Amino acid sequence: MSHAEQMYEYWYAQQKLDAKVRAELEAMKDDREAVNDSFYRELEFGTAGLRGILGAGTNRMNIYMVRKATQGVADYLNGTALPKKAAIAYDSRIQSDEFAKEAACVLAANGIEAHLYPRLEPVPALSWAVRTLGCGVGICITASHNPAQYNGFKVYGADGCQITPEAAKIVLGFIEKTDCFTGVKLADYEKALADGSIQLIPDSVLDAFVDAVYAQRVGDGDGIDSLKLVYTPLNGSGLESIRKLADKLGIKNMTVVPEQEKPDGHFPTCPYPNPEIREAMQKGLELCDKVKPDILIGTDPDCDRCGAAVPDGKGGYRLISGNEMGVILLDFICRSRLAAGRMPEDPVAVTTIVSTDMVDAIAKKFGVELRRVLTGFKFIGEQIANLEAAGHPERYIFGFEESYGYLSGPHVRDKDAVNATLLVCEAAAWYAKKGMTLGDAIDSLYAEHGYFKNGLLSFSFAGESGMQTMAEIMSVLRQMPPIVIAGRKVTGFTDYANMDTGLPKADVLEYRLDGGAKLMVRPSGTEPKIKTYLSAVGRSVQEADAVITELEEAARDLMKK
């Protein structure tokens, strides 16, 4: 009997099993492939917490794996000198509210005061609650922008950042020692509410979060009240906070995409609710054709990523990429701060190793120190914490990652799509006074600094064999790095796992090529896929696009190894 079959039998033998889990176990009883995929391993726990497909089994998201993970978090927290308090939030995904309550019950049973948002709220509101309420940890039930069949379990430290690799390792140790049926302490939810070991977070905390976002304004606000906005929360958690922010900004003309307004974990309008892709924004774009707004803004289900589209001057709308928006916003923040006399001494901006090289030119122009960190916004948050520890948090002016995550203040320590919405609206209103859209803005910056183009290809590898294939591909690329890619000589190779880069070790490979092009390879930390990041610069958009096309073909070839 295989390990997966043994674990299946162990689960099946439990007397008091959740009815839904029991039904799923019954359904897979005679399907060895389904049993193997559901039980061949446990969901991996790391700095991004857990993330997986909903269902019965150790390799699935269900109440038992959530309880087990929470018990590990509780054991970790109780072994530290940190406050024995935790904040919990959740988004619109299937079972998110149920998982959040289960986590609260486990924490309460372990003597940890659990503060739970009474309804779905954005990830940055969780980061805010951790810091504001003085918690030792935070938990957010979300799978970000993954398809509907996924859910996840993110863990935050007392600083409001996702936990460090060191903390994640300790938590994992406790999780591995815990039996999900016999090793978990569990309180009764209603009794815990009555005795105060579980408390609902008051609306004043969310209001204070929105106030903190509003305080990050960098412009003078002139013209923002006349901005015509279409907004979509993609059936997620962003609507309440975005509406509160729009009211504070004085935006009078905001239309919400009706099909994507209400929370719905099935995401019926798009299989992949990610504002990075056109399909997710399509309903918003269709509404733009009717409403003719100045800008379309979309936030993902947990409202930490923000996408946008603007008029293209030809009667349609143009999507702005994450890298483009990062460049636009850094440039706008620098211009606005300088004009207002509010640029700090020795300003710092932070981005990731896979984000556009164009940001270097913007930072240099304005005398901003640019720091590059590993992928994952926790590393940007860590830089804010370092500046704070040194007594100069004001030096931080902006951080972004190419995957549509932005943050302009130290109020939270994760990417914040509410904050991003503020900045995008401010920038759009500022450029509108010049008769320009944000599309015109990035085109102007391209003309000034060069046509930087970026691409991203993801290659999926499903199941147990998929993980092995991913490992084999990375091993080959590491041991026999190519000397030519897309007909261009490799002029530089960096293995972030085995070379001294000044950053934590990471499973990332970087190939710099003749002509300023670049290709990077990184297995996803949350999904069974390898991502390839492509970068090119040209004298025209056509020249840069041609290089990206060649790099895409080269990336496909590399994934065949």
Side-chain angles (χ1 to χ4, degrees), residues 53-99:
I53 294 172
L54 291 157
T58 57
N59 190 34
R60 296 287 186 264
M61 282 294 297
N62 51 68
I63 61 171
Y64 301 106
M65 296 309 292
V66 168
R67 288 174 181 175
K68 179 172 180 171
T70 309
Q71 184 64 52
V73 171
D75 290 339
Y76 158 75
L77 183 58
N78 281 330
T80 71
L82 293 167
K84 303 307 180 281
K85 296 171 66 176
I88 306 170
Y90 61 93
D91 67 5
S92 63
R93 287 184 173 274
I94 298 166
Q95 290 188 269
S96 278
D97 55 347
E98 180 184 358
F99 291 164

Side-chain angles (χ1 to χ4, degrees), residues 144-166:
S144 188
H145 56 281
N146 278 53
Q149 64 266 35
Y150 282 80
N151 211 329
F153 177 99
K154 287 184 178 180
V155 183
Y156 289 74
D159 58 356
C161 287
Q162 287 186 49
I163 55 172
T164 64
E166 295 76 19

Side-chain angles (χ1 to χ4, degrees), residues 6 26-27 32 52 104 175 188 191 200 215-216 238 267 269 284 294 321 360 421 441 453 502-503 535 546:
Q6 289 176 359
E26 290 283 359
R32 292 189 64 182
I175 291 174
D188 178 82
K191 289 180 180 178
L200 299 182
Q216 304 308 316
F267 308 115
T269 64
D294 300 309
S321 75
D360 295 82
T421 298
K453 289 292 179 179
L503 299 173
S535 176

